[in-house]
PDB file of all heavy atoms in Angstrom:
ATOM      1  N   TYR A 282       4.841  -0.871 -15.886  1.00 96.00           N
ATOM      2  CA  TYR A 282       5.530   0.196 -15.157  1.00 96.00           C
ATOM      3  C   TYR A 282       7.037  -0.039 -15.105  1.00 96.00           C
ATOM      4  O   TYR A 282       7.824   0.903 -15.265  1.00 96.00           O
ATOM      5  CB  TYR A 282       4.965   0.312 -13.739  1.00 96.00           C
ATOM      6  CG  TYR A 282       3.617   1.002 -13.664  1.00 96.00           C
ATOM      7  CD1 TYR A 282       2.969   1.455 -14.810  1.00 96.00           C
ATOM      8  CD2 TYR A 282       2.974   1.200 -12.444  1.00 96.00           C
ATOM      9  CE1 TYR A 282       1.745   2.078 -14.753  1.00 96.00           C
ATOM     10  CE2 TYR A 282       1.740   1.830 -12.371  1.00 96.00           C
ATOM     11  CZ  TYR A 282       1.132   2.270 -13.530  1.00 96.00           C
ATOM     12  OH  TYR A 282      -0.087   2.895 -13.464  1.00 96.00           O
ATOM     13  N   THR A 283       7.447  -1.280 -14.885  1.00 96.00           N
ATOM     14  CA  THR A 283       8.882  -1.583 -14.844  1.00 96.00           C
ATOM     15  C   THR A 283       9.537  -1.296 -16.187  1.00 96.00           C
ATOM     16  O   THR A 283      10.624  -0.694 -16.257  1.00 96.00           O
ATOM     17  CB  THR A 283       9.109  -3.062 -14.465  1.00 96.00           C
ATOM     18  OG1 THR A 283       8.551  -3.299 -13.171  1.00 96.00           O
ATOM     19  CG2 THR A 283      10.592  -3.402 -14.434  1.00 96.00           C
ATOM     20  N   THR A 284       8.864  -1.707 -17.271  1.00 95.00           N
ATOM     21  CA  THR A 284       9.413  -1.504 -18.611  1.00 95.00           C
ATOM     22  C   THR A 284       9.486  -0.019 -18.968  1.00 95.00           C
ATOM     23  O   THR A 284      10.496   0.470 -19.484  1.00 95.00           O
ATOM     24  CB  THR A 284       8.571  -2.250 -19.655  1.00 95.00           C
ATOM     25  OG1 THR A 284       8.473  -3.632 -19.295  1.00 95.00           O
ATOM     26  CG2 THR A 284       9.196  -2.135 -21.035  1.00 95.00           C
ATOM     27  N   VAL A 285       8.399   0.706 -18.685  1.00 96.00           N
ATOM     28  CA  VAL A 285       8.355   2.136 -19.011  1.00 96.00           C
ATOM     29  C   VAL A 285       9.404   2.913 -18.214  1.00 96.00           C
ATOM     30  O   VAL A 285      10.095   3.789 -18.744  1.00 96.00           O
ATOM     31  CB  VAL A 285       6.942   2.706 -18.769  1.00 96.00           C
ATOM     32  CG1 VAL A 285       6.955   4.229 -18.814  1.00 96.00           C
ATOM     33  CG2 VAL A 285       5.973   2.149 -19.806  1.00 96.00           C
ATOM     34  N   LYS A 286       9.537   2.584 -16.940  1.00 95.00           N
ATOM     35  CA  LYS A 286      10.554   3.257 -16.119  1.00 95.00           C
ATOM     36  C   LYS A 286      11.951   3.035 -16.685  1.00 95.00           C
ATOM     37  O   LYS A 286      12.770   3.963 -16.747  1.00 95.00           O
ATOM     38  CB  LYS A 286      10.473   2.764 -14.673  1.00 95.00           C
ATOM     39  CG  LYS A 286       9.310   3.354 -13.887  1.00 95.00           C
ATOM     40  CD  LYS A 286       9.358   2.973 -12.418  1.00 95.00           C
ATOM     41  CE  LYS A 286       9.040   1.507 -12.203  1.00 95.00           C
ATOM     42  NZ  LYS A 286       8.940   1.166 -10.750  1.00 95.00           N
ATOM     43  N   SER A 287      12.221   1.803 -17.099  1.00 94.00           N
ATOM     44  CA  SER A 287      13.527   1.486 -17.671  1.00 94.00           C
ATOM     45  C   SER A 287      13.775   2.291 -18.945  1.00 94.00           C
ATOM     46  O   SER A 287      14.868   2.851 -19.149  1.00 94.00           O
ATOM     47  CB  SER A 287      13.621  -0.009 -17.962  1.00 94.00           C
ATOM     48  OG  SER A 287      14.831  -0.323 -18.593  1.00 94.00           O
ATOM     49  N   MET A 288      12.763   2.378 -19.813  1.00 93.00           N
ATOM     50  CA  MET A 288      12.901   3.123 -21.067  1.00 93.00           C
ATOM     51  C   MET A 288      13.100   4.614 -20.808  1.00 93.00           C
ATOM     52  O   MET A 288      13.929   5.264 -21.455  1.00 93.00           O
ATOM     53  CB  MET A 288      11.665   2.891 -21.945  1.00 93.00           C
ATOM     54  CG  MET A 288      11.523   1.447 -22.428  1.00 93.00           C
ATOM     55  SD  MET A 288       9.914   1.101 -23.195  1.00 93.00           S
ATOM     56  CE  MET A 288      10.080   1.989 -24.743  1.00 93.00           C
ATOM     57  N   LEU A 289      12.353   5.165 -19.854  1.00 93.00           N
ATOM     58  CA  LEU A 289      12.487   6.592 -19.535  1.00 93.00           C
ATOM     59  C   LEU A 289      13.865   6.899 -18.952  1.00 93.00           C
ATOM     60  O   LEU A 289      14.519   7.889 -19.328  1.00 93.00           O
ATOM     61  CB  LEU A 289      11.398   7.007 -18.550  1.00 93.00           C
ATOM     62  CG  LEU A 289       9.978   7.139 -19.119  1.00 93.00           C
ATOM     63  CD1 LEU A 289       8.971   7.315 -17.988  1.00 93.00           C
ATOM     64  CD2 LEU A 289       9.878   8.294 -20.114  1.00 93.00           C
ATOM     65  N   ILE A 290      14.313   6.037 -18.037  1.00 94.00           N
ATOM     66  CA  ILE A 290      15.617   6.258 -17.403  1.00 94.00           C
ATOM     67  C   ILE A 290      16.740   6.158 -18.433  1.00 94.00           C
ATOM     68  O   ILE A 290      17.684   6.973 -18.432  1.00 94.00           O
ATOM     69  CB  ILE A 290      15.834   5.250 -16.248  1.00 94.00           C
ATOM     70  CG1 ILE A 290      14.900   5.611 -15.084  1.00 94.00           C
ATOM     71  CG2 ILE A 290      17.285   5.254 -15.779  1.00 94.00           C
ATOM     72  CD1 ILE A 290      14.808   4.553 -14.011  1.00 94.00           C
ATOM     73  N   ASN A 291      16.650   5.199 -19.345  1.00 92.00           N
ATOM     74  CA  ASN A 291      17.659   5.068 -20.402  1.00 92.00           C
ATOM     75  C   ASN A 291      17.693   6.318 -21.274  1.00 92.00           C
ATOM     76  O   ASN A 291      18.765   6.793 -21.670  1.00 92.00           O
ATOM     77  CB  ASN A 291      17.368   3.836 -21.265  1.00 92.00           C
ATOM     78  CG  ASN A 291      17.679   2.543 -20.541  1.00 92.00           C
ATOM     79  OD1 ASN A 291      18.451   2.528 -19.577  1.00 92.00           O
ATOM     80  ND2 ASN A 291      17.100   1.449 -21.001  1.00 92.00           N
ATOM     81  N   LYS A 292      16.505   6.846 -21.559  1.00 88.00           N
ATOM     82  CA  LYS A 292      16.419   8.064 -22.383  1.00 88.00           C
ATOM     83  C   LYS A 292      17.063   9.248 -21.651  1.00 88.00           C
ATOM     84  O   LYS A 292      17.819  10.035 -22.239  1.00 88.00           O
ATOM     85  CB  LYS A 292      14.957   8.359 -22.702  1.00 88.00           C
ATOM     86  CG  LYS A 292      14.728   9.608 -23.537  1.00 88.00           C
ATOM     87  CD  LYS A 292      13.248   9.738 -23.877  1.00 88.00           C
ATOM     88  CE  LYS A 292      12.973  10.979 -24.692  1.00 88.00           C
ATOM     89  NZ  LYS A 292      13.190  12.225 -23.946  1.00 88.00           N
ATOM     90  N   TRP A 293      16.767   9.381 -20.345  1.00 90.00           N
ATOM     91  CA  TRP A 293      17.328  10.487 -19.568  1.00 90.00           C
ATOM     92  C   TRP A 293      18.841  10.346 -19.433  1.00 90.00           C
ATOM     93  O   TRP A 293      19.571  11.335 -19.505  1.00 90.00           O
ATOM     94  CB  TRP A 293      16.681  10.536 -18.186  1.00 90.00           C
ATOM     95  CG  TRP A 293      15.209  10.838 -18.238  1.00 90.00           C
ATOM     96  CD1 TRP A 293      14.547  11.547 -19.199  1.00 90.00           C
ATOM     97  CD2 TRP A 293      14.225  10.420 -17.292  1.00 90.00           C
ATOM     98  NE1 TRP A 293      13.196  11.600 -18.928  1.00 90.00           N
ATOM     99  CE2 TRP A 293      12.966  10.930 -17.748  1.00 90.00           C
ATOM    100  CE3 TRP A 293      14.245   9.677 -16.111  1.00 90.00           C
ATOM    101  CZ2 TRP A 293      11.783  10.695 -17.056  1.00 90.00           C
ATOM    102  CZ3 TRP A 293      13.069   9.469 -15.425  1.00 90.00           C
ATOM    103  CH2 TRP A 293      11.854   9.968 -15.894  1.00 90.00           C
ATOM    104  N   ASP A 294      19.306   9.118 -19.246  1.00 88.00           N
ATOM    105  CA  ASP A 294      20.751   8.877 -19.175  1.00 88.00           C
ATOM    106  C   ASP A 294      21.438   9.295 -20.468  1.00 88.00           C
ATOM    107  O   ASP A 294      22.507   9.918 -20.465  1.00 88.00           O
ATOM    108  CB  ASP A 294      21.038   7.392 -18.903  1.00 88.00           C
ATOM    109  CG  ASP A 294      20.965   7.057 -17.425  1.00 88.00           C
ATOM    110  OD1 ASP A 294      20.975   7.984 -16.598  1.00 88.00           O
ATOM    111  OD2 ASP A 294      20.904   5.857 -17.092  1.00 88.00           O
ATOM    112  N   GLN A 295      20.805   8.939 -21.583  1.00 86.00           N
ATOM    113  CA  GLN A 295      21.366   9.282 -22.883  1.00 86.00           C
ATOM    114  C   GLN A 295      21.423  10.797 -23.070  1.00 86.00           C
ATOM    115  O   GLN A 295      22.419  11.339 -23.564  1.00 86.00           O
ATOM    116  CB  GLN A 295      20.529   8.645 -23.998  1.00 86.00           C
ATOM    117  CG  GLN A 295      21.077   8.839 -25.403  1.00 86.00           C
ATOM    118  CD  GLN A 295      22.454   8.213 -25.578  1.00 86.00           C
ATOM    119  OE1 GLN A 295      22.735   7.150 -25.009  1.00 86.00           O
ATOM    120  NE2 GLN A 295      23.322   8.872 -26.331  1.00 86.00           N
TER     121      GLN A 295
END
Side-chain angles (χ1 to χ4, degrees):
Y282 284 1
T283 299
T284 305
V285 168
K286 284 187 289 186
S287 176
M288 294 169 72
L289 286 170
I290 289 168
N291 287 339
K292 179 176 179 293
W293 296 332
D294 276 345
Q295 185 62 36

